Amino acid sequence: RHCTDIICCVIFIVVILGYIALGVVAWVHGDPRKVIYPTDSYGQFCGQRDTLNENKTILFYFNILKCASAVVLVNLQCPTTQLCVSKCPDRFATYIDVQASYRYKPDQWNYFRQFCKPGFNNPRKSVAQVLRDEDCPSMIIPSRPFLKRCFPDFSTKNGVLTVANQTTFKDGRGKTRNVTDLREAANGINNVLDARSVGMKIFEDYAISWYWILIGLFIAMLLSLLFLVLLRFTAGVLFWIFIFGVIGIIGYGIWHCYWEYDHLKGIPGSDLTVYDIGFQTDFKVYLQLRQTWLAFMIILCGVEVIIVLMLIFLRNRIRIAIALLKEGSRAIGYIMSTLFYPIVTFLLIAICISYWAVTAVFLATSGEAVYKVMANQTLCKYANLTCDPETFNTTNVTKLCPGAQCTFAFYGGESLYHKYIFIFQLANAFVFLWLVNFAIALGQCTLAGAFASYYWAYRKPADIPLWPLFSSFGRAIRYHTGSLAFGALILAIVQLIRVILEYLDHKLKGTQNSFTRFLLCCLKCCFWCLEKFLKFINRNAYIMIAIYGKNFCTSAKEAFFLLMRNVVRVAVLDKVTDFLLFLGKILVAGGVGKLVVCFLNSML
């Protein structure tokens, strides 16, 4: 044994150190409160302790029509004034009506002004100036809090979308609008609410019966171990029972088709062809034709002949596949520790996912509050320029642009770090994919080395090493980290390209360019096939690395040509193995699931 792919090993270690450094920098600059708490137009958090908004936990939008999409409301800043409030509106009201009646109905004004900017209490100010300066919303509508934000309280009455049992409302600007103007928001919010309801039910079920579920999983694990150990005795029996069962079922289908074909003889209309009756939405119409049953019978006969011929010509290879499966079961019986190694892979992947998610959140929240001038862009040359809210009123912007405001826009910055946040997010995703693929490769190489020690033992179990799994793990880490990282790197690059293509497809989904959609579809299909091919080659390359200790490229080449020389055997072995393991999964999962459901129903 000697170290392989040393250059890639060094690069891999450097990338891991850089990844750790990226996480530290993101942790220093990030602030997860920006995800937990909604932010108002002044960059202040709603509901944060020891602030003026401590008791104001909900975000209110002055004009929710400007941000009807629930996705926009949660992830992006909406182009309207946003305030932290203690509760959402529970009635329809417009500023025009409230101002007109504030003298003899002060309660309405006191209720409405809690949704105005803090400190505003001047009902005598003209409506035009109030709406221009956005001191108060033009209208409020009955809402309910969701995701700490006020959303319209939608409901359906007799199939009609309503808000507080009304189908129309005044927008406070002299127009009466239909509730259907908020349909886009309603659809998105209702979908999220439905998902939340389902999620709460699942959580409640887990909270009530989590220990019984763990017991069921433990029983399933024991049954799975028993199935794998006993596979050496049952593999051939299960396979041949299923094969002859399929042959018998198809034979019965052929007989039934012939019986139906003969039974319809002489019945008026049964001799018509499918072409004569044309397309029919009711499939039963076709079952009244003799031609339909004749076609079914011919198809089933063809399938039956193909299966029988395959059994005749591939019988020896099927026997070899079953024998290899039995030998694999015997190897598991000698090296029982291999059954628990997938837990190690699961923990490594869980660590990678956790680190990636935390780093992504801190990167996304890395930045200071950026304020911009909000004004009429056609009249004010300072519109959308950055500003400082503390000194904004002392500048001449308010003089040149009456009604202009310095409002919170987003979190960001002008430093080099903030300019490359997007690049850092891509790097975070790429290294995450690399590490996950490396953890999977390490598991495949370790298990291959452990079973190789069993295979090459002349006298079993006397010549099997004392700790074959740990020895194989040590060899993989000590000598072949570079090779495993090399294979994982190639796969990570392809997966990152696929992620980018999915992102582009999502962004261009609404485009009318047919050629662009066709090109993206072709690229996605090609890279999906490439990823599947690389996973197959990598898995067999790791096996060759575990056995012979060569570098990745040499092992991949030798594995590929070895598979090509035995392509039929490999195909038969894979399909027979997949089928028997599928039967085991169905048997264990279905049996334990049914047992747990029956037990839980008896408990309720």
Side-chain angles (χ1 to χ4, degrees), residues 309-543:
L309 290 178
M310 288 179 63
L311 289 176
I312 293 174
F313 290 103
L314 299 177
R315 63 186 185 280
N316 291 329
R317 287 176 171 79
I318 293 175
R319 290 174 182 172
I320 293 174
I322 294 174
L324 289 175
L325 201 58
K326 291 180 179 179
E327 192 65 23
S329 176
R330 187 177 291 109
I332 292 175
Y334 285 120
I335 314 177
M336 293 294 292
S337 58
T338 56
L339 294 173
F340 301 95
Y341 183 82
I343 298 177
V344 177
T345 302
F346 171 78
L347 292 177
L348 291 176
I349 294 177
I351 292 172
C352 294
I353 294 175
S354 302
Y355 189 86
W356 165 77
V358 172
T359 303
V361 169
F362 275 91
L363 283 174
T365 57
S366 295
E368 303 297 332
V370 175
Y371 299 85
K372 291 192 175 184
V373 177
M374 180 180 290
N376 191 333
Q377 297 185 16
T378 60
L379 301 176
C380 180
K381 64 179 181 180
Y382 296 101
N384 290 327
L385 296 181
T386 57
C387 57
D388 185 355
E390 296 181 359
T391 61
F392 181 74
N393 292 329
T394 61
T395 63
N396 62 346
V397 176
T398 54
K399 298 178 181 179
L400 298 176
C401 304
Q405 302 176 34
C406 184
T407 60
F408 170 77
F410 56 86
Y411 286 103
E414 301 298 329
S415 66
L416 186 65
Y417 169 77
H418 295 103
K419 289 181 179 179
Y420 290 97
I421 288 291
F422 181 72
I423 303 298
F424 291 149
Q425 287 284 22
L426 282 180
N428 182 32
F430 173 70
V431 180
F432 162 71
L433 294 173
W434 193 358
L435 291 176
V436 168
N437 285 305
F438 177 81
I440 296 173
L442 179 62
Q444 293 173 344
C445 187
T446 299
L447 292 175
F451 288 117
S453 64
Y454 163 85
Y455 179 82
W456 297 109
Y458 184 73
R459 295 174 300 165
K460 301 176 178 61
D463 292 340
I464 299 176
L466 183 60
W467 302 104
L469 183 66
F470 295 105
S471 300
S472 177
F473 181 81
R475 287 195 302 270
I477 291 293
R478 180 179 179 182
Y479 297 108
H480 308 304
T481 297
S483 298
L484 301 180
F486 190 17
L489 173 63
I490 298 173
L491 197 55
I493 292 174
V494 175
Q495 290 174 341
L496 182 64
I497 295 175
R498 288 195 62 202
V499 170
I500 295 174
L501 290 175
E502 290 291 344
Y503 174 79
L504 293 176
D505 184 47
H506 176 73
K507 287 294 183 181
L508 299 176
K509 187 166 292 184
T511 183
Q512 301 299 321
N513 193 328
S514 301
F515 176 76
T516 303
R517 295 200 305 269
F518 172 75
L519 182 61
L520 274 176
C521 183
C522 292
L523 289 174
K524 287 168 59 179
C525 179
C526 292
F527 278 97
W528 178 84
C529 295
L530 180 60
E531 182 184 356
K532 294 296 182 182
F533 175 75
L534 287 176
K535 283 183 177 180
F536 178 75
I537 292 296
N538 282 11
R539 183 173 67 250
N540 290 280
Y542 299 146
I543 295 173

Side-chain angles (χ1 to χ4, degrees), residues 162-446:
T162 64
V163 174
N165 295 325
Q166 295 189 25
T167 57
T168 60
F169 64 95
K170 297 179 180 179
D171 65 356
R173 298 177 184 272
K175 294 182 180 179
T176 300
R177 307 185 66 159
N178 199 296
V179 173
T180 54
D181 292 339
L182 298 171
R183 183 176 297 275
E184 183 179 355
N187 292 337
I189 295 168
N190 287 335
N191 290 336
V192 176
L193 289 174
D194 292 341
R196 186 190 185 197
S197 176
V198 174
M200 288 300 297
K201 292 179 181 178
I202 294 174
F203 178 78
E204 291 173 357
D205 289 342
Y206 273 114
I208 295 173
S209 57
W210 64 269
Y211 44 91
W212 295 114
I213 294 176
L214 288 180
I215 293 174
L217 292 175
F218 181 74
I219 295 174
M221 183 184 70
L222 294 180
L223 291 178
S224 299
L225 298 179
L226 184 63
F227 176 80
L228 290 175
V229 173
L230 296 180
L231 201 58
R232 72 181 79 173
F233 307 110
T234 60
V237 176
L238 288 176
F239 179 80
W240 291 115
I241 286 177
F242 177 80
I243 288 297
F244 287 117
V246 170
I247 293 176
I249 291 173
I250 295 177
Y252 170 78
I254 294 172
W255 173 83
H256 181 76
C257 291
Y258 176 78
W259 183 85
E260 291 284 355
Y261 176 78
D262 185 68
H263 178 71
L264 291 173
K265 185 177 182 180
I267 297 179
S270 62
D271 291 327
L272 295 174
T273 63
V274 175
Y275 180 79
D276 293 332
I277 64 174
F279 176 76
Q280 300 292 329
T281 56
D282 188 1
F283 186 75
K284 294 181 180 179
V285 175
Y286 297 104
L287 299 182
Q288 306 302 320
L289 303 179
R290 299 186 69 201
Q291 187 186 60
T292 302
W293 292 105
L294 179 62
F296 286 161
M297 183 172 62
I298 294 174
I299 293 173
L300 291 177
C301 287
V303 173
E304 187 87 332
V305 170
I306 291 174
I307 293 177
V308 172
L309 290 178
M310 288 179 63
L311 289 176
I312 293 174
F313 290 103
L314 299 177
R315 63 186 185 280
N316 291 329
R317 287 176 171 79
I318 293 175
R319 290 174 182 172
I320 293 174
I322 294 174
L324 289 175
L325 201 58
K326 291 180 179 179
E327 192 65 23
S329 176
R330 187 177 291 109
I332 292 175
Y334 285 120
I335 314 177
M336 293 294 292
S337 58
T338 56
L339 294 173
F340 301 95
Y341 183 82
I343 298 177
V344 177
T345 302
F346 171 78
L347 292 177
L348 291 176
I349 294 177
I351 292 172
C352 294
I353 294 175
S354 302
Y355 189 86
W356 165 77
V358 172
T359 303
V361 169
F362 275 91
L363 283 174
T365 57
S366 295
E368 303 297 332
V370 175
Y371 299 85
K372 291 192 175 184
V373 177
M374 180 180 290
N376 191 333
Q377 297 185 16
T378 60
L379 301 176
C380 180
K381 64 179 181 180
Y382 296 101
N384 290 327
L385 296 181
T386 57
C387 57
D388 185 355
E390 296 181 359
T391 61
F392 181 74
N393 292 329
T394 61
T395 63
N396 62 346
V397 176
T398 54
K399 298 178 181 179
L400 298 176
C401 304
Q405 302 176 34
C406 184
T407 60
F408 170 77
F410 56 86
Y411 286 103
E414 301 298 329
S415 66
L416 186 65
Y417 169 77
H418 295 103
K419 289 181 179 179
Y420 290 97
I421 288 291
F422 181 72
I423 303 298
F424 291 149
Q425 287 284 22
L426 282 180
N428 182 32
F430 173 70
V431 180
F432 162 71
L433 294 173
W434 193 358
L435 291 176
V436 168
N437 285 305
F438 177 81
I440 296 173
L442 179 62
Q444 293 173 344
C445 187
T446 299

Side-chain angles (χ1 to χ4, degrees), residues 29-60 74 77 82-86 118 147-149 361-362 364-371 408 410-412:
H29 290 84
D31 188 357
R33 294 178 303 173
K34 300 169 186 175
V35 177
I36 300 173
Y37 301 104
T39 308
D40 64 11
S41 295
Y42 305 100
Q44 299 174 347
F45 298 119
C46 298
Q48 186 180 0
R49 292 183 178 180
D50 301 325
T51 64
L52 296 176
N53 292 330
E54 180 176 2
N55 297 323
K56 299 178 179 180
T57 60
I58 307 171
L59 191 67
F60 171 73
V74 174
Q77 289 295 329
Q82 305 162 33
L83 290 179
C84 298
V85 296
S86 57
L147 296 176
K148 296 184 178 180
R149 291 159 173 84
V361 169
F362 275 91
T365 57
S366 295
E368 303 297 332
V370 175
Y371 299 85
F408 170 77
F410 56 86
Y411 286 103

